[in-house]
Amino acid sequence: MTAMTTTRLRLEGLHCAGCVARVERALSALPDVTGARVNLAAATAEIDHSGPAGPLIGAVEREGFGVARHAVTLAVEGASCASCVGRIETALMAVPGVVSATMNLASGQAHVTVADGTADPMALARALSDAGYPAQPIGPDTAPVPGAAQAAQGRALRRRTWIAALLALPVVALEMGGHIAPGLRTAAAGIVGEQGLRILSFVLTTAILAGPGRPFFAKGVPLLLRGAPDMNALVALGTGAAWGFSTLATFAPGLLPAGTAHVYYEAAAVIVTLILLGRTLEARARGRTGAAITALLALRPDTARVVTPDGVELRPLATLRPGDLLETLPGERIATDGRIVEGQGAVDESMLTGEPMPVDKAPGDPVTGGTVNGPAALRIRATRVGGDTALARIVAMVEAAQGAKLPVQALADRITGVFVPVVLGVAGLSVVLWLALGPAPALGLALVAGVSVLIVACPCAMGLATPTSVMVGTGRAAGMGILFRKGAALQALAGVATIAFDKTGTLTEGRPALGQVALAEGQSRDAVLRVVAALEARSEHPLARAILAAAPQGPLPPAEAVEAQPGLGLTGRVEGKSVLVGTARLMARAGIAPGSLDAAAEGLAATGATPVHVAIDGRAVAVLGLSDPIKPASRAAIDALHAMGVRTALITGDTPATARAVAQALGIDRVVAGVLPGGKVDALNDLRAAGPLAFVGDGLNDAPALAAADIGIALGTGTDVAIEAADVVLMAGDPRAVADSLHVSRSTMRNIRQNLFWAFAYNSALIPVAAGVLYPLNGMLLSPMLAAGAMALSSLFVLSNALRLRSLAPLDRSVT
């Protein structure tokens, strides 16, 4: 029976006694809840329950209230296989207040979401330590250097492997050297006797198991006694059985049936050595999977040149504050995010965008910490420092994506949850069947089969199959300027059937310019532009900037009562006249007929220009043609997506004629035009009938659509709101990166499927072979030593296959 516990949650959004009653009813309705008490003044809920905290939070949130929560990251030791992952997550979920827990075998970290006011990080660490996996919280001040843990583990494993190999070599030479050098064992037995050889093998093998192999027993035996065996338990059981039988055969052979007193010291010694070798190579490969984070952090300089009244001082990066004036010499990395106040030159931003061409910078332009200054000295005013910088945010995004558990891993988790107990059962059944049905010496053959099953069935490859591919794939994507903000997006993006684009700033430059102006009879171009510019001076819209740039020189008249009509335009008064500037819908809503300007507006739209209608005192006076050039790479991006079998769509608030002209120029399949910001969500819902879809945008008004799409893709050159709403961020403004992100996603998922197939097929095929199913056919019985080698090979295959993703390259850039 599950123990009863009390969880205290901090609630958000409580306003009255009615809120309290609703929350208490929702909580009390849960099957494992025996009592729920909500305190309005303290905004807390105390719940007596016997299950996990996740359903409690879900019940509160379904009622429309929030539950405060925070994330905790733990560095975990001793996790070596997929069954370890399952036990770690189960142990964490058993802690009151834990909402979710995921263990990443590749990084050695557990990511836990905890309701505020419940379990603290040390309680989580203690829960894991009690479960056999020592852990410690990772915080801002305790975060390890990326790769440091893997490097330290690799050094320790290397040392243990060398010791085990040196001790095992004489044992193997004594037991099997006769096959290579006939007479070797006979000569050795002539010196110390047969019993002396066995005692020497016993001493060396015992030293291996008690020394380099001790962690297998220290970790595996307690878990075995608790009924929760892991891979360490399998190794301990297998090698312990071989050593124990051999010890009995050495010192008390009379206790064994006649003809069965054989020794298997070499099997135990070589198994430990090969498994340690496999784990050493595995740790080395795991370190390479996290190379992306290490490379990103290496971009951050340790010091900055700070300009002070007394001159330039070299200060640690941690001491910088917003507003500090920094000096960056030619060729140096820029210390932190800021704006240039003095100097002009090119900056290499390839670390940020993946694009190799340097970007020209002048006073007033923003720069990013970690990018490389060109040939000119710059003075920069710091705007963001520490964890607020773009580089720190990128590192956080990549770490979050690498630590995520993809939905595809659910199958592996379900299988590995029962895998080790099943293996123990198969090993036991093999021994029983060999004893009952096997030829003489049945006891020795039964031992070989049982140990081989225990060793060959390691689920390490299953546990590494997904996280290693995710770590390498997301890391490589970051190097290409593609950030997966949410791990699940890596899997979901691979399955999209349609990718819809916003137009302005996404497929076009986002810097429209005023072109042709159609005027009503008796109107003056300069007079109209002067009035319109007065109104647009109060707007931040890109079209407003284009109109202001084309307005006549000189002071503008003041504008009054200016109101923005979302998706429509502006209204206001200029020099006592009522002025409307915007779409044809705005004019129609105000009851203003376009008159002779209707045909002019259609003609402008047919050329790809955006017609902006102008009315003064209720009369249409002009149509302005604003053209936003299509990005040179947009056509190549659409062609690449079509080549990958993805349909494309354009969703824009622009006129249908303008949208059709742009879509035709780019080869886009479907156009939805003339929609307000909220209408983009409805358009996405219509497109979703054809399958999962992604939306690509960059503006503030794209945020709802980015959040509503199955996958939201934001251009990093866009607004912070759009980026925060997205699942994937493209740091460059190049639309071809959309196809690159799909390429990375599909390649990573294909890699994961290959890894999972290998891991499952490998175990499914070799466990029966190890059990001896082929023995009646051809006399083949898998040696425990070969089983250990094959087990290590399985993990190394998965890791090396995942590392192939490091060679992923952006799609062909030669076509623009």
Side-chain angles (χ1 to χ4, degrees):
M1 181 176 177
T2 306
M4 190 66 63
T5 187
T6 300
T7 295
R8 190 170 186 266
L9 303 178
R10 300 185 192 278
L11 305 185
E12 299 171 347
L14 292 179
H15 300 297
C16 62
C19 300
V20 170
R22 283 170 54 196
V23 173
E24 288 182 344
R25 280 197 303 270
L27 290 170
S28 299
L30 295 176
D32 60 352
V33 172
T34 58
R37 300 164 297 280
V38 177
N39 186 312
L40 178 61
T44 60
E46 287 189 352
I47 309 104
D48 303 321
H49 62 108
S50 57
L56 307 179
I57 294 173
V60 173
E61 292 180 339
R62 282 193 297 273
E63 293 298 318
F65 303 99
V67 177
R69 63 188 78 181
H70 62 278
V72 176
T73 302
L74 302 167
V76 183
E77 299 177 14
S80 58
C81 62
S83 57
C84 298
V85 171
R87 269 184 288 279
I88 288 169
E89 292 175 353
T90 300
L92 289 170
M93 289 300 297
V95 178
V98 172
V99 180
S100 64
T102 59
M103 173 65 196
N104 189 310
L105 182 59
S107 66
Q109 294 182 352
H111 302 273
V112 192
T113 302
V114 184
D116 283 4
T118 57
D120 59 51
M122 291 309 300
L124 300 174
R126 282 194 300 273
L128 286 188
S129 298
D130 293 343
Y133 301 94
Q136 62 179 10
I138 297 176
D141 300 326
T142 60
V145 177
Q150 288 91 338
Q153 182 185 30
R155 288 192 295 270
L157 283 169
R158 231 178 0 254
R159 186 167 56 252
R160 288 165 55 198
T161 301
W162 274 111
I163 295 172
L166 291 174
L167 293 173
L169 185 61
V171 178
V172 175
L174 290 173
E175 295 298 330
M176 307 182 68
H179 298 292
I180 302 173
L184 176 63
R185 181 177 177 84
T186 303
I191 298 174
V192 299
E194 188 68 33
Q195 182 67 4
L197 292 181
R198 288 193 171 191
I199 292 174
L200 179 60
S201 294
F202 163 77
V203 172
L204 293 173
T205 303
T206 302
I208 291 173
L209 298 185
R214 183 178 178 277
F216 295 123
F217 293 86
K219 296 176 182 177
V221 172
L223 290 173
L224 185 64
L225 295 177
R226 286 203 293 265
D230 69 343
M231 180 54 204
N232 293 303
L234 295 184
V235 175
L237 196 59
T239 56
W243 176 86
F245 185 89
S246 301
T247 301
L248 193 63
T250 299
F251 297 105
L255 298 178
L256 298 174
T260 64
H262 302 293
V263 294
Y264 300 93
Y265 290 121
E266 80 282 359
V270 173
I271 285 171
V272 170
T273 303
L274 286 177
I275 292 176
L276 287 174
L277 176 61
R279 290 192 177 180
T280 300
L281 297 173
E282 184 181 302
R284 181 180 176 185
R286 284 194 204 179
R288 293 169 64 194
T289 63
I293 294 293
T294 304
L296 284 171
L297 290 177
L299 299 174
R300 183 178 57 197
D302 295 324
T303 58
R305 301 175 188 275
V306 181
V307 180
T308 70
D310 299 324
V312 177
E313 296 180 0
L314 203 61
R315 294 182 183 174
L317 208 64
T319 65
L320 293 186
R321 297 291 181 266
D324 284 348
L325 183 62
L326 312 177
E327 183 177 78
T328 304
L329 300 180
E332 286 187 339
R333 288 199 179 274
I334 294 172
T336 192
D337 295 359
R339 288 190 177 275
I340 296 175
V341 296
E342 185 180 325
Q344 184 170 342
V347 174
D348 179 0
E349 296 185 336
S350 57
M351 56 72 62
L352 186 70
T353 65
E355 298 297 328
M357 293 300 294
V359 180
D360 290 331
K361 299 287 185 178
D365 289 340
V367 290
T368 304
T371 56
V372 181
N373 186 24
L378 301 176
R379 287 202 168 183
I380 298 162
R381 184 74 65 185
T383 56
R384 291 179 177 176
V385 298
D388 294 331
T389 63
L391 181 58
R393 293 170 67 193
I394 290 172
V395 170
M397 287 184 192
V398 176
E399 286 181 330
Q402 289 187 341
K405 178 171 288 190
L406 270 58
V408 70
Q409 198 170 339
L411 174 63
D413 289 346
R414 286 197 296 271
I415 292 176
T416 53
V418 296
F419 190 80
V420 173
V422 168
V423 168
L424 288 172
V426 171
L429 181 62
S430 300
V431 171
V432 170
L433 291 178
W434 274 101
L435 289 175
L437 306 175
L443 182 58
L445 294 173
L447 177 65
V448 169
V451 171
S452 295
V453 169
L454 291 174
I455 300 303
V456 83
C458 167
C460 297
M462 295 183 196
L464 292 169
T466 299
T468 50
S469 295
V470 171
M471 289 184 71
V472 180
T474 53
R476 181 65 194 106
M480 295 162 61
I482 301 165
L483 303 179
F484 288 88
R485 294 187 66 246
K486 302 170 185 176
L490 186 66
Q491 177 175 341
L493 182 59
V496 297
T498 304
I499 295 183
F501 291 83
D502 171 54
K503 181 178 76 69
T504 304
T506 303
L507 295 175
T508 65
E509 296 287 358
R511 295 189 295 271
L514 180 64
Q516 185 179 350
V517 177
L519 298 167
E521 187 177 352
Q523 298 297 320
S524 162
R525 175 189 169 104
D526 284 355
V528 170
L529 288 178
R530 182 171 173 272
V531 171
V532 173
L535 207 62
E536 296 288 357
R538 305 283 294 276
S539 172
E540 293 296 326
H541 197 281
L543 295 182
R545 292 193 291 272
I547 293 171
L548 285 168
Q553 295 296 320
L556 297 174
E560 301 172 345
V562 179
E563 290 186 15
Q565 309 292 323
L568 298 175
L570 290 173
T571 63
R573 299 189 67 81
V574 179
E575 297 180 327
K577 299 175 182 178
S578 172
V579 182
L580 280 74
V581 181
T583 65
R585 290 197 308 277
L586 179 63
M587 302 299 148
R589 180 178 291 185
I592 300 171
S596 61
L597 296 175
D598 192 27
E602 292 180 1
L604 289 171
T607 66
T610 299
V612 176
H613 295 258
V614 181
I616 298 177
D617 282 341
R619 176 170 173 262
V621 298
V623 177
L624 314 180
L626 289 138
S627 298
D628 186 5
I630 294 173
K631 290 180 179 178
S634 293
R635 177 74 200 210
I638 300 301
D639 289 345
L641 290 173
H642 286 161
M644 299 170 81
V646 176
R647 291 182 294 274
T648 56
L650 180 65
I651 302 177
T652 177
D654 219 331
T655 65
T658 302
R660 282 194 298 269
V662 172
Q664 185 174 3
L666 297 178
I668 291 176
D669 301 318
R670 183 169 173 183
V671 178
V672 182
V675 295
L676 299 176
K680 291 184 178 182
V681 175
D682 296 331
L684 288 175
N685 291 333
D686 293 338
L687 291 172
R688 192 175 277 113
L693 61 89
F695 178 78
V696 187
D698 75 324
L700 179 65
N701 61 351
D702 293 326
L706 289 168
D710 296 307
I711 294 293
I713 304 176
L715 299 187
T717 51
T719 65
D720 287 345
V721 175
I723 291 172
E724 289 300 319
D727 305 294
V728 183
V729 178
L730 311 178
M731 298 307 295
D734 192 334
R736 288 173 297 187
V738 176
D740 289 337
S741 65
L742 183 61
H743 175 52
V744 170
S745 175
R746 288 183 173 180
S747 298
T748 304
M749 292 309 301
R750 182 167 57 249
N751 193 272
I752 289 172
R753 286 191 290 270
Q754 292 166 351
N755 285 348
L756 288 174
F757 173 79
W758 168 265
F760 288 129
Y762 167 88
N763 280 299
S764 300
L766 284 190
I767 287 177
V769 173
V773 72
L774 297 180
Y775 188 85
L777 302 177
N778 56 16
M780 176 182 173
L781 190 61
L782 188 66
S783 162
M785 292 182 291
L786 291 178
M791 181 213 72
L793 181 64
S794 175
S795 294
L796 291 177
F797 173 88
V798 165
L799 283 161
S800 59
N801 188 49
L803 288 171
R804 290 191 308 114
L805 292 171
R806 296 174 70 184
S807 63
L808 277 179
L811 298 175
D812 186 14
R813 293 290 197 253
S814 61
V815 180
T816 59

